[in-house]
Amino acid sequence: MLDDFMWRAALAGLGVGLAAAPLGCFVVWRRIAYFGDATAHAAILGVALALLWNISIFAGVVSIALLMAISVSLLSGKGYAMDTLLGVMAHSALAIGLVAVSFVAGVRIDLHAYLFGDILAVGKTDLVIIWSGAILVIGLMLWRWQALLTATLNEELAHASHINPRREQLVLTIALAIVVAVALKVVGALLIAALLIIPAATARPFSRTPEQMAVIAAVIAMAATTGGLRAAYTFDTPTGPTIVSLAAAFFVISTLASQGWQRFAS
């Protein structure tokens, strides 16, 4: 089965969707969508450094993502607004990464694949990395779920419950870095944030509990990745953008359906 590139691509999409959706719920609840976008942009610098130092691209991307998150945490509250810091660091990391790539001698680099994804080129080793990362992220989410919810709801309540909000923020940061690293091959650095945010936003109107929202978001994300893959194959369109476009279509349908239901109920 794994000798068929379409099956490999589908399994990769399912793994990324399963990992990104629950994490995306916290991104939506905490209103840190720009943080996810900044981390994804920094992934290109991680790719460049990994190639320059001849190390694993996964390790390079995770390291840079964590470094950015820690830097933002240390610099926040020192005269700069969070969105300003994220904007400066995200675009700087992307630009420096693109420049650094040009200094990699003897290696042909398909920047389009890193920016927009190349799910059809996923190999068996990539599948192992993607699903290992997905299982790790899901494990982190399950382990810290209640603590993450409490810290997201109210920091004072978290302190009263003997929960350290900064520690839970670190857990989210680590999970986000892992998701960015495993999703880079599927949707690319410029579209990772969309796969985090859109399924969670789509699930929100139909969810009564946080757990329900996470499950619905995961289903939507997996449907978008597999459906987008099939549509891209059928219509010969770029796979990463097609996946995100289908997720966006789900969001539009969800919004119209929820508004229609609210009008009917009133």
Side-chain angles (χ1 to χ4, degrees):
M1 180 179 71
L2 295 184
D3 290 331
D4 189 330
F5 74 96
M6 285 297 290
W7 277 107
R8 290 197 299 271
L11 288 173
L14 289 173
V16 170
L18 191 61
L23 181 61
C25 292
F26 284 100
V27 171
V28 170
W29 293 330
R30 286 174 173 250
R31 299 181 180 179
I32 56 171
Y34 202 20
F35 184 80
D37 200 36
T39 306
H41 279 63
I44 295 298
L45 177 57
V47 171
L49 293 179
L51 293 172
L52 283 170
W53 295 338
N54 196 27
I55 62 175
S56 165
I57 289 179
F58 178 83
V61 171
V62 170
S63 299
I64 291 299
L66 289 175
L67 179 61
M68 167 169 279
I70 293 171
S71 300
V72 170
S73 298
L74 292 175
L75 292 174
S76 61
K78 298 184 183 296
Y80 295 98
M82 181 66 77
D83 60 343
T84 301
L85 278 174
L86 289 173
V88 170
M89 296 183 71
H91 297 297
S92 298
L94 178 60
I96 294 170
L98 292 174
V99 171
V101 164
S102 66
F103 290 100
V104 180
V107 178
R108 292 190 62 185
I109 302 169
D110 185 3
L111 281 179
H112 187 277
Y114 285 117
L115 292 173
F116 299 103
D118 190 11
I119 191 173
L120 297 179
V122 167
K124 295 179 182 179
T125 302
D126 296 318
L127 274 181
V128 172
I129 293 174
I130 288 171
W131 274 96
S132 297
I135 291 170
L136 182 57
V137 169
I138 293 168
L140 278 173
M141 294 291 100
L142 291 175
W143 175 44
R144 304 303 304 170
W145 183 262
Q146 196 56 52
L148 284 168
L149 280 178
T150 304
T152 299
L153 179 64
N154 189 297
E155 288 195 4
E156 293 182 0
L157 178 61
H159 284 298
S161 303
H162 306 291
I163 296 171
N164 186 346
R166 293 184 69 86
R167 181 184 62 200
E168 304 312 316
Q169 177 66 38
L170 179 60
V171 171
L172 279 179
T173 298
I174 293 172
L176 184 60
I178 294 172
V179 166
V180 168
V182 300
L184 191 64
K185 189 95 174 188
V186 177
V187 291
L190 299 184
L191 301 175
I192 291 172
L195 199 58
L196 280 167
I197 298 164
I198 296 177
T202 304
R204 196 169 194 171
F206 305 104
S207 307
R208 295 184 179 181
T209 65
E211 293 79 9
Q212 192 177 59
M213 179 171 165
V215 171
I216 295 174
V219 172
I220 292 170
M222 290 188 291
T225 53
T226 54
L229 175 64
R230 180 63 182 175
Y233 181 78
T234 301
F235 299 108
D236 193 24
T237 55
T239 310
T242 303
I243 290 172
V244 175
S245 297
L246 184 57
F250 289 158
F251 174 74
V252 171
I253 294 170
S254 168
T255 301
L256 293 175
S258 62
Q259 289 180 352
W261 173 254
Q262 289 174 1
R263 290 176 183 175
F264 176 78
S266 60

